[in-house]
């Protein structure tokens, strides 16, 4: 059983993961409207991954005999100044999510909930990857600068991203 504090905090993170999915799907629509299909693909897969994160919280709360409470998800922005601005937003957003996960770990330690701390460690590792993959594209866009065709080359690369659900989410 989760205590009330942990239950509220995990439900809060479930909402934050849903918002992340909504944000990236909005970015996917933005890129689609610019005919940058590779960028749109990357964001669409990112949105799917955030749903996997959401369901990990959903299932874990249930496993601990606690109650999932779904609340309103904030509307995401729908426009960005440029592809670089959108990816800078992704990187910043992932840094914010990392800080939310770290706060959850701190709470689990404070509440002496070792099982929850153990569950959260998957997200600690995942956030390293999340920040790194976003920053990778940020850096590529910086390197490209105003080079002709640069956006097209990155678009082709981002088109190759495939969604692979992690084996641990078999429910
Ligand atoms: Fe759910 Fe992108 O972290």
């Amino acid at each position: 059983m989760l205590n009330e504090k942990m239950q509220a905090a995990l439900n809060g993170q479930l909402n934050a993961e849903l918002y992340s999915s909504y944000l990236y799907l909005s970015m996917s629509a933005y890129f689609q409207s610019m005919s940058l299909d590779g960028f749109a693909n990357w964001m669409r897969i990112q949105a799917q991954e955030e749903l996997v994160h959401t369901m990990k919280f959903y299932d874990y709360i249930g496993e601990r005999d606690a109650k999932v409470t779904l609340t309103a998800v904030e509307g995401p922005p729908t426009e960005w100044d440029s592809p670089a601005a959108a990816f800078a937003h992704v990187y910043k957003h992932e840094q914010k999510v990392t800080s939310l996960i770290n706060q959850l770990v701190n709470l689990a330690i404070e509440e002496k909930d070792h099982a929850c701390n153990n569950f959260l460690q998957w997200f600690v590792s995942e956030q390293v990857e999340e920040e790194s993959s976003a920053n990778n594209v940020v850096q590529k866009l910086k390197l490209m600068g105003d080079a002709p065709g640069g956006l097209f080359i990155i678009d082709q690369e981002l088109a190759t991203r495939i969604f692979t659900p992690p084996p641990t989410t078999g429910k």
Side-chain angles (χ1 to χ4, degrees):
M1 184 80 195
L2 287 170
N3 74 19
E4 271 181 31
K5 255 193 194 173
M6 276 316 323
Q7 176 174 302
L10 292 180
N11 272 303
Q13 189 61 32
L14 187 157
N15 183 285
E17 299 290 347
L18 265 180
Y19 175 76
S20 296
S21 184
Y22 214 22
L23 173 65
Y24 297 143
L25 197 57
S26 184
M27 287 183 180
S28 184
Y30 161 74
F31 283 122
Q32 204 173 305
S33 75
M34 297 169 81
S35 298
L36 286 169
D37 294 344
F39 280 86
N41 172 64
W42 194 98
M43 287 297 175
R44 188 183 174 113
I45 289 169
Q46 192 67 19
Q48 282 176 287
E49 286 203 349
E50 297 302 348
L51 286 182
V52 171
H53 297 173
T54 302
M55 293 313 293
K56 274 181 176 282
F57 281 99
Y58 183 98
D59 289 337
Y60 185 72
I61 294 167
E63 269 173 30
R64 294 290 303 274
D65 296 327
K67 180 156 184 346
V68 169
T69 311
L70 299 179
T71 51
V73 182
E74 194 190 327
T78 54
E79 293 290 337
W80 288 265
D81 290 342
S82 62
F87 264 92
H89 187 172
V90 176
Y91 187 38
K92 199 171 156 207
H93 182 70
E94 287 302 332
Q95 288 173 307
K96 188 178 146 202
V97 174
T98 299
S99 122
L100 291 175
I101 296 291
N102 287 342
Q103 284 171 40
L104 280 176
V105 172
N106 289 343
L107 182 65
I109 292 168
E110 269 167 40
E111 298 298 317
K112 299 185 172 57
D113 191 335
H114 300 294
C116 192
N117 183 8
N118 188 43
F119 162 74
L120 290 167
Q121 292 307 308
W122 184 90
F123 287 92
V124 171
S125 304
E126 176 72 3
Q127 281 311 120
V128 174
E129 204 183 304
E130 291 281 80
E131 285 191 30
S132 167
S133 63
N135 192 35
N136 183 280
V137 184
V138 168
Q139 294 309 321
K140 280 195 173 107
L141 285 162
K142 261 189 200 156
L143 276 174
M144 179 199 77
D146 293 326
L151 212 50
F152 179 68
I153 291 166
I154 298 175
D155 192 59
Q156 282 187 316
E157 188 189 324
L158 299 186
T160 62
R161 187 179 184 189
I162 299 165
F163 175 63
T164 325
T168 46
T169 55
K171 288 200 176 183

